[in-house]
C-alpha cells in the first residue's frame, strides 16, 4: 500500500530522479488519466493519492510514472 505521505519535497529528491521527467499540472494529469481535478485536490488535502511535487502552495506537479504506480497499486483482482 502506498504511503499516506505522498508529497515529494523537491529539495530532497535526487536530481537524477527528476532529470528528464515531464511534469504536469493537476488539470493536465487529470485529463490525461480521466480523473476529476477536484478528486486530485481532495486527495492531496487528505494526504492520499498519487505522489506529487510541490514547488509552492500554488505550484503542484505530477509525473506520469507516479500516476502509473498509484493506479497499479489500486488494481483489484476479484475472486471468482
Amino acid at each position: 500500500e502506498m504511503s499516506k505521505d505522498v508529497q515529494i519535497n523537491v529539495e530532497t529528491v535526487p536530481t537524477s530522479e527528476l532529470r528528464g521527467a515531464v511534469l504536469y499540472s493537476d488539470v493536465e494529469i487529470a485529463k490525461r488519466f480521466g480523473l476529476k481535478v477536484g478528486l486530485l485536490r481532495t486527495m492531496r488535502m487528505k494526504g492520499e493519492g498519487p505522489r506529487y511535487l510541490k514547488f509552492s502552495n500554488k505550484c503542484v506537479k505530477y509525473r506520469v510514472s507516479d500516476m502509473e504506480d498509484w493506479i497499479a497499486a489500486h488494481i483489484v483482482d476479484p475472486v471468482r
Side-chain angles (χ1 to χ4, degrees):
E1 182 174 306
M2 299 283 292
S3 167
K4 287 205 176 221
D5 185 18
V6 294
Q7 180 176 320
I8 301 169
N9 183 339
V10 294
E11 295 174 0
T12 60
V13 173
T15 305
S16 60
E17 190 175 333
L18 294 176
R19 187 173 287 122
V22 178
L23 304 178
Y24 296 90
S25 70
D26 53 1
V27 173
E28 294 167 324
I29 207 78
K31 183 176 181 180
R32 182 175 178 137
F33 285 92
L35 302 170
K36 295 195 183 262
V37 177
L39 174 64
L40 290 173
R41 292 177 181 165
T42 298
M43 287 189 298
R44 279 198 316 265
M45 289 182 351
K46 292 181 174 182
E48 301 172 353
R51 294 173 74 198
Y52 60 93
L53 295 110
K54 185 173 183 181
F55 295 96
S56 72
N57 286 336
K58 294 186 178 186
C59 184
V60 172
K61 299 290 182 179
Y62 291 88
R63 296 182 296 186
V64 169
S65 61
D66 291 325
M67 289 297 294
E68 290 170 341
D69 290 346
W70 178 71
I71 289 168
H74 288 83
I75 293 174
V76 175
D77 191 8
V79 179
R80 297 196 185 244

